[in-house]
């Protein structure tokens, strides 16, 4: 379906950039439309660098448009082809709704839950009626009956509903056996009280019931695993009720959970559907008939994964997106339709989000960034992030090529020019680095990371042909004045510039302030470097940055 993607690039008070991407769809529900308003959260001390909209334009093309006029704390309307954001009126006061007291829900412990997808095989261990350690095996073969399903029942001797269920299972033993059902009743009392007494109570109950099926004492590991699997499919995180049962197929996978006494007819009915197809199981898992929309509508996987991310559930977010990639393979290269292009862009966004999740967990994002770029070579954010990874690995030529590719798609991007300047510095291509910093400032005169890099170079480069102390002082003072930010790295640059022009006393005072700020922010490494530089200023010596040397 047609969609427009908005890319917002911001810079925070530390000079770090952040790229946020959101998408507006023309329609993603039956006879309905989601809101076209998109909300971007900036955070304190964050400024907007650029806003870019990628509009759908024609059948097989997209148009990228830079938008001017967007400011923080505002609402704006963006129209195709104008290049400007129009301020929008804030909505009026919301209607006042009368408060009501909702009636509490009825607590019903009697329930049945058929799983649309079976669980993984469950390891079931217990102590049998002869006090021997036992483990259920899969595939399920019981004597000559070749039982193909198992009903696992958790019960206690003091639980009247439990004894009622076990009595019914005992009465219909032949029917259950003919249906290929193995019954295993596990008493849980030994987990809470004396094991010998629990065993005797369970044995007495089974003798009174003349229980013909397998029984024993539950293992704590088995009970916890079954309860964990139950919680994975139930939103309500309650304690395991008694009795509780679950129907397992011949592979030991749970297919149905039962809370409260379960009727034998219900178990026999579920037993007949263990070999249903995936689609039939999906239909059986809901209490009403209908059509499934997953074949008609495409959900936004990024939005769903982002909910997990915002809750700090990074593993769940990654697992959801990996599952999405498994279920949505890349269209073949021969498919060059608009629908295939849209799907590739979506998959590229999924890989990019996975890369961001990896970065948040201090993991290597490279593989996902490469895949994102392969699917969408115009995904500039992925190009920039991959260049950062290459730079960190000292793969300077590769980092430079990625940034040049990003600039070809986003000419005049101050952030990309600045990053390319840093790469050129490490390649000892000083003139090229200076040119990139200057291009960044031409694109955005308030791009302070580039200004600070250039001022530092002018103040501290060992080669006099690149130094210009007066220019460095002017730039460093302007950064502090316009950014209204007393950052220790900005003050470090000003101190070095003052020392370069011979104002050593003032350089010492500025360095002292920078040290104070670095210490308070626990920036230990920077504070130590500042102290060494301050000693040089006290001795009347300017600072020369040896990292600019040809060996670096």
């Amino acid at each position: 379906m047609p969609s427009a993607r908005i890319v917002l690039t911001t810079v925070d008070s530390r000079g770090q950039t952040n790229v946020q991407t959101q998408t507006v769809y023309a329609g993603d529900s039956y006879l309905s439309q989601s809101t076209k308003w998109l909300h971007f959260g900036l955070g304190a001390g964050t400024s907007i660098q650029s806003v870019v909209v990628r509009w759908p334009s024609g059948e097989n093309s997209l148009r990228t448009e830079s938008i001017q006029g967007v400011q923080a704390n505002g609402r704006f309307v963006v129209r195709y082809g104008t290049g400007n954001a129009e301020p929008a009126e804030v909505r009026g006061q919301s209607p006042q709704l009368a408060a009501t007291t909702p009636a509490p829900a009825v607590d019903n412990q009697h329930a049945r839950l058929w799983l649309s997808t079976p669980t993984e095989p469950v390891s079931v261990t217990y102590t049998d009626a002869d006090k021997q350690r036992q483990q259920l095996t899969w595939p399920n073969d019981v004597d000559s009956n070749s039982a193909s399903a198992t009903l696992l029942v958790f019960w206690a001797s003091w639980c009247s509903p439990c004894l009622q269920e076990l009595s019914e299972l005992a009465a219909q033993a032949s029917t259950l056996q003919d249906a290929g059902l193995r019954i295993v009743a596990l008493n849980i009392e030994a987990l809470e009280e004396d094991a010998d007494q629990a065993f005797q109570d369970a044995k007495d109950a089974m003798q009174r019931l003349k229980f013909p099926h397998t029984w024993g004492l539950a293992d704590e590991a088995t009970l916890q695993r079954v309860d964990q699997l139950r919680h994975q499919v139930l939103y309500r995180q309650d304690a395991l009720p008694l009795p509780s049962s679950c129907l397992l197929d011949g592979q030991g996978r749970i297919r149905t959970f039962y809370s409260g006494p379960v009727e034998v007819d219900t178990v026999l009915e579920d037993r007949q559907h263990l070999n249903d197809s995936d689609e039939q199981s999906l239909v059986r898992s809901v209490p009403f008939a209908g059509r499934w929309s997953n074949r008609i509508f495409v959900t936004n996987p990024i939005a769903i994964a982002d909910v997990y991310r915002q809750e700090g559930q990074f593993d769940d977010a990654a697992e959801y997106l990996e599952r999405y990639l498994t279920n949505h393979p890349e269209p073949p290269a021969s498919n060059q339709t608009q629908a295939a292009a849209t799907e590739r862009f979506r998959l590229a966004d999924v890989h990019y989000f996975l890369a961001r999740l990896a970065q948040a967990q201090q993991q290597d994002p490279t593989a996902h960034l490469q895949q994102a770029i392969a699917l969408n070579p115009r995904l500039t954010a992925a190009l920039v992030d991959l260049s950062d990874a290459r730079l960190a690995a000292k793969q300077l030529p590769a980092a430079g090529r990625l940034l040049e590719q990003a600039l070809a798609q986003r000419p005049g991007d101050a952030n990309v020019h600045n990053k390319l300047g840093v790469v050129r510095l490490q390649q000892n291509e000083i003139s090229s680095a200076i040119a990139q910093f200057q291009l960044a400032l031409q694109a955005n005169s308030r791009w302070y990371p580039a200004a600070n890099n250039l001022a530092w170079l002018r103040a501290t480069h060992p080669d006099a042909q690149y130094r210009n102390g007066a220019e460095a002082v002017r730039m460093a003072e302007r950064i502090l004045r316009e950014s209204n930010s007393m950052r220790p790295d900005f003050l470090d640059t000003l101190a070095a510039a003052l020392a370069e022009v011979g104002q050593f006393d003032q350089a010492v005072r500025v360095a002292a302030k920078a040290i104070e700020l670095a210490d308070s922010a626990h920036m230990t490494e920077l504070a130590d470097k500042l102290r060494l530089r301050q000693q040089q200023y006290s001795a009347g010596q300017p600072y020369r940055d040896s990292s600019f040397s040809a060996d670096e």
Side-chain angles (χ1 to χ4, degrees), residues 406-467:
L407 281 174
Q409 298 171 16
R410 192 185 292 176
D413 187 301
N415 178 48
V416 181
H417 278 298
N418 178 56
K419 287 180 176 293
L420 185 54
V422 172
V423 172
R424 296 295 183 245
L425 275 183
Q426 295 203 21
Q427 292 178 307
N428 203 36
E429 298 178 10
I430 307 303
S431 297
S432 178
I434 293 173
Q436 292 298 327
F437 294 143
Q438 291 173 337
L439 286 170
L441 293 173
Q442 290 176 16
N444 184 347
S445 62
R446 293 178 178 269
W447 196 253
Y448 302 120
N452 191 61
N453 286 333
L454 183 56
W456 179 260
L457 187 152
R458 292 300 195 195
T460 66
H461 199 282
D463 193 332
Q465 66 172 316
Y466 299 119
R467 291 200 307 274

Side-chain angles (χ1 to χ4, degrees), residues 104-111 113 226-241 244 257 259-260:
V106 177
D107 188 8
N108 185 358
Q109 293 291 330
H110 190 284
L113 179 64
V226 170
D227 198 29
Q228 180 185 41
L229 292 171
R230 188 178 72 95
H231 283 165
Q232 288 179 3
V233 297
L234 289 175
Y235 176 76
R236 183 178 180 183
Q237 302 296 291
D238 58 349
L240 185 74
S244 280
F257 285 104
S259 296

